[in-house]
Amino acid sequence: MAEAIYVGGLLVATPLLDDPNFRRSVVLILEHDHDGGTLGVVLNRPSDISVTQVLPVWDPLVTGPSVLFEGGPVQTDSALALAAVPSGEEPLGWRRLHAGTPAVSRLGTVDLDAPPEILQGEIAQMRIFAGYAGWSSGQLESEIAEGAWYVVDSEAGDTFHADPRALWRHVLRRQPGELAFVATCPDDPTMN
């Protein structure tokens, strides 16, 4: 289990976190600054809104399911896209995450105002998120200390996991020691 919050790391909601915005969520950290706070997107909340309804020009580039993901409770009327590039190149309209971990070394944000044609053939996978998760300076550290989040390392397949709703259990199951057992925690603890 990682100890520090870092770009490219994951926040995994503990069973104690019952905020409906984050219950059983897996958040990928996109920005972290000790003075300015933290920004991330929830990876495991596909919505019922298809990409064609909101950003039809981007639909051909989106990795299934071809829906908007609920990225978090902040600015839910705005969209943020993450895409992976197949090589070390940095195509126009794509900006690499400033992360030092191999798991996300080919991950970056997409300029959704750019014409999709410039990224056609340049990206391997892409998902679009409505809104994001944000914490002011020190806020996330306090939530972690209170037992709301586990901070763990991400793996290459997490951002575009084929079954996003199963990601919470999947990430926990691969953790060492007792943390792997948390994956078996029932949705309703009273049913245990």
Side-chain angles (χ1 to χ4, degrees):
M1 188 161 86
E3 296 185 13
I5 302 164
Y6 63 95
V7 173
L10 295 178
L11 298 173
V12 180
T14 71
L16 300 173
L17 183 59
D18 60 358
D19 175 335
N21 292 309
F22 295 111
R23 189 172 185 285
R24 297 216 171 201
S25 65
V26 177
V27 178
L28 176 68
I29 302 296
L30 302 180
E31 294 178 15
H32 178 66
D33 180 335
H34 292 289
D35 300 323
T38 305
L39 181 143
V41 289
V42 177
L43 297 177
N44 60 334
R45 292 270 167 81
S47 74
D48 295 329
I49 302 166
S50 73
V51 171
T52 54
Q53 287 177 265
V54 185
L55 295 161
V57 295
W58 288 100
D59 188 61
L61 297 173
V62 170
T63 304
S66 188
V67 296
L68 287 181
F69 279 67
E70 297 171 16
V74 182
Q75 292 188 358
T76 55
D77 58 345
S78 67
L80 181 154
L82 289 177
V85 293
S87 67
E89 299 296 313
E90 291 202 25
L92 226 62
W94 180 86
R95 188 176 59 113
R96 185 180 309 279
L97 291 184
H98 295 289
T101 60
V104 293
S105 64
R106 293 187 172 160
L107 198 59
T109 55
V110 172
D111 178 359
L112 291 172
D113 291 327
E117 301 78 45
I118 66 171
L119 284 164
Q120 188 80 42
E122 298 289 330
I123 58 173
Q125 296 170 298
M126 178 173 150
R127 284 208 169 134
I128 301 176
F129 301 86
Y132 62 89
W135 294 267
S136 59
S137 181
Q139 182 184 6
L140 181 56
E141 290 84 351
S142 295
E143 290 181 17
I144 291 167
E146 292 166 3
W149 299 100
Y150 302 117
V151 183
V152 302
D153 293 330
S154 60
E155 289 186 0
D158 293 340
T159 303
F160 306 105
H161 196 274
D163 184 4
R165 295 190 192 279
L167 186 61
W168 185 82
R169 285 192 196 302
H170 176 79
V171 169
L172 287 171
R173 201 172 288 125
R174 71 176 185 234
Q175 300 309 311
E178 294 182 15
L179 194 52
F181 291 114
V182 177
T184 64
C185 184
D187 287 337
D188 182 356
T190 62
M191 302 300 287
N192 200 359

